[in-house]
Amino acid sequence: MKDKSWHFYLPAMILLLILWYVISIIVHLPIIPSPVLVMERLGNIFTQTIAIHALYSLWRIIAGVFLAIITGVPIAVMMGYYKKCDKILAPIVYLTYPIPKIALLPILMLLAGIGELPKVIMIFLIVIFQVLVAIRDSIKTIPKEMFFPLYSLGASFRQIFLNILWPAVLPNFITSLRVAMGTAISVLFFTETFGTKYGMGYFIMDSWLRVNYLDMYAGIVVLSLIGLFLFGFLDLVENYFCKWKKKV
């Protein structure tokens, strides 16, 4: 049976637009323009202006998440599977995880400059801790009895990973990405107000400073659509690779 979660997105968007329209009529101030005017403005400037900002923001998110996955997954698997590795690395994770990542932005800008690198690293730092904790804890909940048949057959670590570890941690891994994604987008908005002329954060704040509320709201709409795209993509990935969850 095909997943129909996408069918609920359109009614939700229509409901939000109606609510926005009603509020704009009640308030009747330039600071809350009608969604009709905003959508018209968005259509006029998207290809010429907003598209390049959206691509920059999307690239930074994808790069940061990709780096967090290729770095965090192997470390998390080692922490969950090998007790000695967990004893060494767990204290480091516990000490650094609570640090607000946005507080590290000045340090990253001093060390890596004000270009693309600190923005990607900021996304990386937000996502990797979610990945580490989710995967490590998922592996620790796997009953030891599940490993015995493969041990008796002389299975390699690669075979154990592919047949037991990865299928067991995949749902929690995707959930951890969902949780981290919202925070990553919020932090990206803040980082894009420094040292760049591209990105949705820069576009929205620049429009605000120019008192161009139509452009500002158009940017907010696009940023929301980026988030919708990313969350929708994760839903599709989960529906494809975790089909067994629908039968539970």
Side-chain angles (χ1 to χ4, degrees), residues 5-27:
S5 60
W6 279 91
H7 295 180
F8 295 99
Y9 290 162
L10 184 58
M13 293 172 65
I14 293 174
L15 179 62
L16 289 174
L17 288 174
I18 293 173
L19 181 61
W20 179 2
Y21 182 75
V22 171
I23 293 175
S24 69
I25 293 176
I26 295 174
V27 176

Side-chain angles (χ1 to χ4, degrees), residues 86-235:
D86 186 50
K87 288 181 179 180
I88 296 173
L89 296 179
I92 299 175
V93 174
Y94 293 156
L95 288 171
T96 54
Y97 187 17
I99 299 175
K101 306 305 177 290
I102 196 66
L104 301 176
L105 181 59
I107 300 175
L108 291 177
M109 293 177 69
L110 288 173
L111 294 175
I114 58 176
E116 295 296 306
L117 188 57
K119 298 172 180 59
V120 174
I121 293 177
M122 186 61 63
I123 303 297
F124 165 81
L125 291 175
I126 292 170
V127 177
I128 190 171
F129 284 101
Q130 296 282 353
V131 170
L132 287 173
V133 173
I135 292 180
R136 190 205 70 156
D137 292 350
S138 296
I139 292 177
K140 285 182 174 294
T141 60
I142 301 174
K144 294 182 179 179
E145 292 76 12
M146 293 187 64
F147 296 97
F148 293 158
L150 289 182
Y151 288 157
S152 62
L153 294 172
S156 63
F157 177 79
R158 178 178 177 274
Q159 292 171 320
I160 293 173
F161 173 79
L162 293 176
N163 291 282
I164 297 180
L165 299 182
W166 187 241
V169 305
L170 186 56
N172 285 341
F173 168 63
I174 295 175
T175 299
S176 70
L177 290 182
R178 282 200 195 94
V179 174
M181 200 67 71
T183 306
I185 294 174
S186 300
V187 171
L188 178 67
F189 171 84
F190 183 80
T191 60
E192 287 181 336
T193 60
F194 296 95
T196 183
K197 290 185 178 181
Y198 294 102
M200 293 311 304
Y202 170 82
F203 179 83
I204 293 171
M205 292 304 295
D206 181 65
S207 300
W208 174 66
L209 292 173
R210 292 186 287 107
V211 198
N212 190 334
Y213 295 124
L214 288 179
D215 281 10
M216 183 183 76
Y217 276 90
I220 293 172
V221 169
V222 171
L223 190 61
S224 299
L225 291 176
I226 290 175
L228 177 64
F229 167 77
L230 294 172
F231 281 105
F233 176 75
L234 289 176
D235 284 346

